[in-house]
């Protein structure tokens, strides 16, 4: 069986709980998660609450031929705006979307999907105060996590656990998700 691979992108001001929670859940479920910075500097990236995370690589170093089973990002408004402004982010998400790979964003980061015109017209959720920045291009939902085809979105820090579990279930199936949830004393 082929290894399941995921890529998580970070940018300054990312929301730490929306990064660490899904990364931890996915790794417990046997997913190889690579951490990439959208910056052109391999130094640790400071999150919204001043927690530093060291990237394993830079987004600019990932060959276009590399495909992951899942690409996802945490929120945090500063990070989301950096993703929205990043040409490489748009190219990466578009390439994975075109190959029907899973793409995901939480909290403020769905605004980057809108900026790069990814899957407009589908169901989506985000941090409630930022729904207006989706410009009416999606079918907004207030559900904690929304799965629409290959796109997964979630609302914010309080939904990070459900987001991580949904990412794991979409990648590895309900049995793996249920095992990890049980081991972590998580009930949904």
């Amino acid at each position: 069986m082929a290894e399941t691979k995921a890529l998580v992108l970070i940018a300054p001001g990312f929301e730490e709980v929306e990064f660490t929670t899904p990364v931890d859940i996915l790794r417990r479920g046997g997913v190889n998660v690579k951490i990439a910075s959208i910056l052109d500097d391999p130094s640790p990236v400071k999150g919204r609450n001043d927690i530093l995370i060291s990237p394993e690589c830079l987004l600019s170093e990932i060959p276009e031929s590399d495909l992951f089973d899942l690409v996802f990002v945490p929120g945090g408004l500063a990070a989301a705006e950096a993703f929205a402004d990043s040409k490489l982010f748009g190219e990466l998400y578009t390439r994975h979307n075109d190959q029907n790979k899973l793409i995901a964003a939480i909290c403020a980061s769905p605004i980057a999907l809108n900026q790069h015109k990814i899957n407009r017209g589908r169901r989506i959720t985000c941090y409630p105060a930022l729904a207006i920045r989706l410009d009416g291009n999606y079918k907004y939902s207030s559900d904690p996590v929304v799965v629409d085809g290959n796109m997964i979105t979630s609302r914010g820090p309080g939904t990070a656990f459900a987001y991580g579990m949904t990412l794991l279930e979409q990648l590895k199936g309900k049995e793996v998700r249920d095992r990890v949830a049980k081991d972590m004393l998580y009930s949904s």
Side-chain angles (χ1 to χ4, degrees):
M1 178 184 266
E3 178 181 47
T4 304
K5 300 185 309 179
L7 178 68
V8 59
L9 304 178
I10 54 175
F14 70 93
E15 182 68 58
E16 293 95 340
V17 73
E18 297 165 1
F19 164 80
T20 56
T21 303
V23 168
D24 182 272
I25 289 168
L26 291 169
R27 286 184 173 174
R28 287 173 190 254
V31 177
N32 178 359
V33 181
K34 182 179 270 194
I35 304 164
S37 172
I38 70 163
L39 302 176
D40 288 326
D41 177 355
S43 300
V45 178
K46 188 183 288 190
R48 180 181 180 280
N49 297 299
D50 298 329
I51 297 171
L52 293 170
I53 298 293
S54 296
E56 298 165 334
C57 67
L58 303 177
L59 175 55
S60 60
E61 298 171 340
I62 297 173
E64 284 189 28
S65 58
D66 279 12
L67 282 178
F68 296 84
D69 300 294
L70 164 68
V71 178
F72 70 105
V73 290
L77 185 57
E81 289 175 340
F83 299 140
D85 291 340
S86 170
K87 181 180 178 201
L88 287 176
F89 171 96
E91 291 171 351
L92 177 80
Y93 264 65
T94 298
R95 187 167 62 251
H96 281 76
N97 190 53
D98 289 349
Q99 294 295 317
N100 205 35
K101 300 295 184 181
L102 294 175
I103 58 172
I106 186 171
C107 193
S109 287
I111 68 172
L113 300 177
N114 185 41
Q115 178 67 30
H116 295 287
K117 301 177 180 164
I118 296 170
N119 291 335
R120 287 182 169 175
R122 289 202 191 170
R123 289 183 67 240
I124 198 169
T125 195
C126 67
Y127 193 79
L130 294 172
I132 194 160
R133 293 202 39 200
L134 298 176
D135 303 323
N137 292 317
Y138 298 89
K139 297 172 188 155
Y140 182 77
S141 170
S142 60
D143 292 344
V145 179
V146 172
V147 178
D148 191 338
N150 67 317
M151 185 171 75
I152 303 160
T153 54
S154 189
R155 298 189 84 193
T159 63
F161 225 98
Y163 176 64
M165 287 294 173
T166 301
L167 297 177
L168 182 59
E169 183 171 345
Q170 293 294 310
L171 282 170
K172 303 280 276 185
K174 187 173 179 344
E175 185 176 314
V176 171
R177 179 243 184 251
D178 288 350
R179 177 186 51 78
V180 171
K182 181 180 179 197
D183 290 349
M184 295 182 81
L185 305 178
Y186 176 76
S187 59
S188 54

